[in-house]
Amino acid sequence: MRETGHGKEQMKNPWEGRRVLIVGMARSGIALARLLAREGACVTVNDMKAAEAFGDKLDELKNLDIIFRLGEDGLDALKGQEILIISPGVPIDAPIVKAARTAGIAVSGELEIASLLLPCPMVAVTGTNGKTTTVSLLGAIFKEAGRVAHVAGNIGYPLSAAVMDSRSEDIAVVEVSSFQLETTENFHPLSAAVLNVTEDHLNRHGTMDVYTGLKRHIFDAQDETNYAVLNFDDASCRAMAQGLKGKVLFFSRLEEVENGAFIRQGQMVMRLDGQEKIICRADEVKIPGPHNLENALAACCIAYSRGVPGPVIRHALRTFQGVEHRIEFVRELDGVRYINDSKGTNTDSTIKAVQSMLAPTALILGGYDKHVSFAPLAQEIVKSPMIENCVLMGATADQIEGALKEAGYTKIHRAADLSEAIRMCRALSLPGGNVLFSPACASFDMFSDYEQRGRIFKEMVNHL
């Protein structure tokens, strides 16, 4: 007998003896290999990187009954497999995926498999921006309510790891990316939210229609007892409400909604089936910026839909301090505040950071090219009275400079690397000002991920 978030079901272990190939040995691939080996599957793991490139990261797998196929493309390892499970970093059109489908081998992803093995209820959040802040805030809310909350998924703690760490009475709060949603079919959060949809990852998904469709896919396995939470102020999100099976809750910073969370006369209000509860004053939400008020409204909808009382939500909103690498204060030096927003990996995220600045700011921009337009960001920088200088670096520096000049912005400086960018900003800044590191780009031209990029920024700033 196994108990899940969807009720009890009598079943034998479906993974016992099943032949599985896991491709991509990043965090989620390693965690899934451990999980399926524990479940009795015949696991083969594959990655293009050779074993020595992993250091000690694969040590936890070495005492398990797992076959290693490292330093190869994995096509030969497909022979005899029943299912191919790809990590989020493996595109859905990769040669190994095409080969598996041609051979009649099922294809899935780590999130999908882990969710089917999860012993506790699950809620989930996706969107272009705000995911990490919202799931972290939800984790704080559920913990305040006395639950053991596992904040997992795209946040760096794989859902497969949460499966092994959780009990039936816990709750999983899952951050979900569009890459993960490419390989889901039965992923079934009891409450789920799409926070916003703006241009991102078009180098992988091709068009906004595909990208938007993937975000909406988070609701596809829901039923009429579940909740779908959507941003009423975002036209793409609002349109997703059509045809959903779950009960729709909107959140809005700008208008009152029939069911959901909104701001009225400076108060955060939750309305459900004609009943209203005032949660707290909007200015009591500790994390700064209008975008974080939207994240708080979304978290309120999910928490309330899962039965968390208003006073518990209020206390969490008043005390939650935010997440690392998202508009994170690092230090003040010579009267200048240094702010780490390495999680600003797209233009919309950086626009929100720019809108949060309340003092003269030197802004560091640039990174890996995801084939998006920088024009909206350039227009926001021109409109902002606070962005006094922009220091550009990385692969996208030329594109960003072109967009800024076209928008009429001229206070542009170029840096060879992050260290030089920080030194330039220090020289450009006066007491009372800010240095904001919000690249508006992914990190892969210089760093392994936004977390490493943010840590290095903080180390450099702390050594000034």
Side-chain angles (χ1 to χ4, degrees):
M1 177 95 58
R2 182 164 66 87
E3 184 172 333
T4 72
H6 316 300
K8 294 183 178 180
E9 47 193 50
Q10 188 75 37
M11 58 183 293
K12 65 176 185 177
N13 182 354
W15 293 99
E16 188 71 44
R18 200 165 185 192
R19 298 184 302 279
V20 177
L21 174 62
I22 301 172
V23 174
M25 285 293 102
R27 292 173 186 164
S28 62
I30 293 169
L32 182 64
R34 283 180 57 215
L35 175 60
L36 292 185
R38 186 192 75 170
E39 293 290 312
C42 299
V43 177
T44 301
V45 297
N46 164 254
D47 197 287
M48 290 288 288
K49 291 191 294 186
E52 52 269 20
F54 288 93
D56 60 359
K57 292 178 181 176
L58 300 180
D59 286 356
E60 60 190 293
L61 303 183
K62 288 180 179 175
N63 293 326
L64 302 175
D65 190 14
I66 290 174
I67 300 168
F68 291 84
R69 300 288 296 267
L70 303 176
E72 57 179 278
D73 60 20
L75 290 171
D76 287 341
L78 264 180
K79 295 171 185 173
Q81 303 293 345
E82 297 174 67
I83 181 168
L84 168 67
I85 306 175
I86 57 175
S87 294
V90 179
I92 201 70
D93 59 353
I96 194 164
V97 177
K98 293 178 179 177
R101 288 179 168 159
T102 299
I105 297 168
V107 177
S108 191
E110 182 268 341
L111 184 77
E112 170 86 352
I113 302 304
S115 71
L116 296 175
L117 290 166
L118 189 68
C120 63
M122 172 178 64
V123 299
V125 175
T126 193
T128 306
N129 295 302
K131 298 184 292 295
T132 298
T133 297
T134 304
V135 295
S136 300
L137 174 56
L138 274 167
I141 292 171
F142 285 118
K143 288 171 186 174
E144 190 70 30
R147 301 287 292 274
V148 174
H150 303 271
V151 181
N154 191 54
I155 198 167
Y157 171 51
L159 189 57
S160 292
V163 172
M164 292 181 279
D165 295 340
S166 58
R167 303 166 300 168
S168 60
E169 62 267 30
D170 300 347
I171 188 164
V173 184
V174 188
E175 178 182 321
V176 182
S177 72
S178 57
F179 293 1
Q180 291 172 309
L181 287 165
E182 284 183 325
T183 51
T184 59
E185 185 176 350
N186 301 296
F187 181 70
H188 186 173
L190 303 182
S191 297
V194 178
L195 302 176
N196 44 61
V197 182
T198 56
E199 195 175 81
D200 199 15
H201 299 305
L202 298 190
N203 57 325
R204 170 133 163 188
H205 300 311
T207 69
M208 276 300 292
D209 284 346
V210 171
Y211 178 56
T212 303
L214 284 168
K215 293 298 189 187
R216 189 186 187 278
H217 184 47
I218 197 171
F219 304 122
D220 283 355
Q222 288 191 316
D223 59 38
E224 62 279 358
T225 68
N226 305 143
Y227 287 88
V229 176
L230 291 163
N231 186 347
F232 190 81
D233 303 335
D234 183 304
S236 295
C237 289
R238 192 166 63 245
M240 291 181 189
Q242 296 296 319
L244 293 183
K245 297 173 191 170
K247 301 171 188 175
V248 174
L249 297 179
F250 284 115
F251 64 93
S252 174
R253 190 168 51 86
L254 306 176
E255 300 183 42
E256 292 194 17
V257 295
E258 185 176 352
N259 280 296
F262 57 91
I263 306 299
R264 182 174 62 207
Q265 297 177 344
Q267 302 270 19
M268 182 183 292
V269 180
M270 185 73 210
R271 180 189 287 162
L272 190 59
D273 299 328
Q275 300 293 313
E276 286 189 4
K277 295 277 186 184
I278 294 175
I279 302 300
C280 65
R281 295 196 319 272
D283 61 10
E284 291 182 284
V285 177
K286 191 172 181 68
I287 46 178
H291 62 292
N292 276 326
L293 188 54
E294 293 176 3
N295 296 336
L297 289 164
C300 181
C301 286
I302 288 183
Y304 205 81
S305 75
R306 304 308 339 141
V308 179
V312 173
I313 299 172
R314 179 187 307 124
H315 185 267
L317 293 178
R318 286 171 170 172
T319 56
F320 179 72
Q321 297 189 33
V323 298
E324 189 180 16
H325 309 304
R326 189 67 179 115
I327 317 184
E328 176 195 10
F329 172 70
V330 180
R331 73 179 290 200
E332 184 173 320
L333 177 65
D334 299 330
V336 176
R337 290 168 56 85
Y338 289 79
I339 300 165
N340 168 33
D341 192 50
S342 180
K343 208 168 189 319
T345 58
N346 56 62
T347 55
D348 192 62
S349 186
T350 296
I351 285 170
K352 289 176 167 59
V354 165
Q355 291 170 343
S356 299
M357 293 299 102
L358 301 176
T361 300
L363 172 61
I364 301 173
L365 294 166
Y368 176 77
D369 187 6
K370 293 196 284 186
H371 303 294
V372 300
S373 170
F374 292 101
L377 173 59
Q379 290 157 15
E380 189 65 36
I381 288 170
V382 169
K383 190 167 67 174
S384 170
M386 297 301 173
I387 307 302
E388 293 201 335
N389 291 281
C390 288
V391 177
L392 312 183
M393 64 176 198
T396 55
D398 287 343
Q399 295 172 54
I400 297 172
E401 182 170 359
L404 287 170
K405 286 181 175 177
E406 191 168 329
Y409 189 89
T410 57
K411 295 179 182 178
I412 302 167
H413 313 267
R414 296 291 286 263
D417 54 28
L418 181 55
S419 178
E420 185 180 4
I422 293 169
R423 292 196 303 273
M424 280 185 173
C425 287
R426 184 180 186 183
L428 291 164
S429 300
L430 296 173
N434 298 325
V435 171
L436 172 63
F437 178 46
S438 187
C441 301
S443 57
F444 307 127
D445 60 333
M446 296 180 176
F447 308 95
S448 61
D449 53 32
Y450 77 84
E451 292 167 307
Q452 185 202 41
R453 177 171 68 181
R455 286 194 298 270
I456 290 173
F457 173 77
K458 290 194 289 184
E459 287 169 7
M460 289 177 173
V461 166
N462 283 322
H463 280 96
L464 286 175

